Amino acid sequence: MVRIIGPASPRYRFEKCPVQDKYILVENAPFETAAATLGEALTQYANAFSASIRPFDGDDNIPLPEGESKYFYYLDKNSVHGEAIVDIHIHRHNGEHLCPGQDMNFQLCSGDAVTIGALAC
């Protein structure tokens, strides 16, 4: 299985403590899929959370070098500020960290963790 951590399925959340009047940090279960490619995984994630994930093509604030394709627009039903630009990375169980860009045919391996989040590279 491939795990996806993103805006609709964050790694952690705050939850009210039933014993004390305070909030505690609790780890969330990630979204899981048996997808073979990044494109399949993103489609399943978007469908599960009524979200849209589409390729970013550059703009004046975040220009992309000629021929480079890496970021995505992300929007879900809980987005309060509208569409956000996100970066997607793959973390392999062997410690390898990959940035597949917009390669929707990028092959995923069982145990991969896909993160959808703030621009990182």
Side-chain angles (χ1 to χ4, degrees):
M1 294 295 276
V2 173
R3 296 168 288 134
I4 303 178
I5 299 157
S9 61
R11 181 168 284 153
Y12 300 100
R13 72 180 186 284
F14 284 102
E15 190 173 280
K16 188 158 177 102
C17 178
V19 178
Q20 300 173 338
D21 189 26
K22 66 178 183 177
Y23 285 86
I24 56 174
L25 195 60
V26 177
E27 190 166 4
N28 273 333
F31 177 78
E32 292 187 321
T33 176
T37 66
L38 180 60
E40 291 171 11
L42 295 180
T43 296
Q44 290 177 19
Y45 185 87
N47 290 341
F49 295 105
S50 299
S52 68
I53 303 171
R54 63 185 180 89
F56 172 75
D57 52 6
D59 64 26
D60 291 339
N61 295 322
I62 305 173
L64 292 174
E66 183 75 27
E68 187 171 297
S69 59
K70 53 191 315 186
Y71 306 128
F72 294 83
Y73 291 104
Y74 178 89
L75 180 67
D76 70 30
K77 61 186 177 199
N78 297 319
S79 299
V80 293
H81 300 293
E83 209 166 40
I85 300 171
V86 296
D87 200 1
I88 296 177
H89 289 145
I90 313 296
H91 304 272
R92 295 251 152 101
H93 64 280
N94 65 3
E96 195 174 5
H97 179 142
L98 306 164
C99 182
Q102 296 173 356
D103 181 1
M104 294 295 119
N105 294 316
F106 183 86
Q107 293 294 305
L108 298 174
C109 299
S110 183
D112 281 355
V114 177
T115 58
I116 304 169
L119 304 185
C121 65

